[in-house]
């Protein structure tokens, strides 16, 4: 890949992460906003026991601007670990209104230490380590995705 191509790709990724998340909701996209900051991630969905158990295990890399959204029905207190996961990840725990409960930043790879939600979570978004801080995503930020429905703090409507 040429330096020119790499630069253009880098700018495209950066633009997607800083773009105001105003496009229509899609199953494969999660939008987040906190104050004036916003971010958008293309996501894989883990919504059954097998997908949630596998998660991002054994993945050596994940493109910037991508992540995995774990969905829980019914919502519950959850804890995640990093066994067999080589990537440092930010874990963003989200309640049923689409409000961020807490963020575990740069979870250490290959550990079995539980990293819990601070309350009842409907979803957990895993992204590359350091991105939550970079984009100002913390407790109280809001998330937009079709899974949160019309009663969400930031509905798709």
């Amino acid at each position: 890949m040429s330096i020119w191509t790499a630069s253009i790709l880098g700018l495209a990724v950066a633009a997607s992460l800083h773009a105001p998340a105003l496009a229509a909701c899609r199953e494969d996209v999660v939008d987040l906003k906190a104050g004036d900051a916003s971010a958008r991630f293309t996501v894989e969905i883990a919504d059954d026991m097998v997908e949630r158990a596998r998660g991002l295990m054994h993945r050596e890399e994940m493109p910037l601007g991508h992540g995995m959204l774990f969905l829980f029905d019914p919502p519950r207190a959850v804890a995640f670990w990093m066994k067999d996961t080589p990537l440092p990840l930010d874990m963003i725990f989200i309640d049923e209104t689409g409000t961020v409960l807490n963020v575990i930043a740069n979870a250490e790879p290959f550990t079995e230490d539980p990293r819990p939600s601070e309350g009842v979570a409907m979803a957990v978004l895993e992204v590359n380590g350091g991105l939550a801080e970079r984009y100002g995503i913390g407790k109280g930020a809001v998330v937009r995705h079709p899974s949160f429905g019309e009663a969400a703090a930031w509905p798709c409507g």
Side-chain angles (χ1 to χ4, degrees):
M1 175 183 308
S2 72
I3 292 173
W4 174 253
T5 304
S7 296
I8 296 299
L9 287 173
L11 289 172
V13 168
S16 73
L17 289 174
H18 290 292
L22 299 176
C25 284
R26 296 183 359 207
E27 287 293 325
D28 66 337
V29 172
V30 170
D31 294 313
L32 296 101
K33 68 178 178 177
D36 293 336
S38 65
R40 169 172 277 183
F41 295 95
T42 300
V43 295
E44 297 174 53
I45 303 293
D47 60 358
D48 67 34
M49 199 153 57
V50 172
E51 292 168 340
R52 288 191 298 259
R54 182 177 43 245
L56 293 170
M57 289 178 10
H58 308 292
R59 303 256 184 118
E60 297 287 330
E61 58 186 42
M62 182 168 55
L64 187 64
H66 286 245
M68 182 170 279
L69 183 65
F70 297 79
L71 296 171
F72 298 93
D73 186 18
R76 62 193 85 158
V78 296
F80 278 43
W81 64 2
M82 295 286 290
K83 181 180 179 184
D84 298 323
T85 306
L87 297 171
L89 298 171
D90 288 347
M91 299 174 184
I92 303 166
F93 296 87
I94 308 160
D95 73 13
E96 60 192 330
T97 70
T99 303
V100 174
L101 295 165
N102 61 300
V103 175
I104 304 295
N106 284 300
E108 182 183 354
F110 298 115
T111 63
E112 293 185 25
D113 300 335
R115 291 156 178 98
S117 60
E118 293 178 2
V120 176
M122 182 179 147
V124 179
L125 175 62
E126 288 186 340
V127 297
N128 285 303
L131 291 182
E133 181 178 2
R134 180 185 295 178
Y135 298 111
I137 301 164
K139 185 175 184 155
V142 291
V143 177
R144 187 170 68 166
H145 185 266
S147 296
F148 296 105
E150 292 305 312
W154 187 18
C156 287

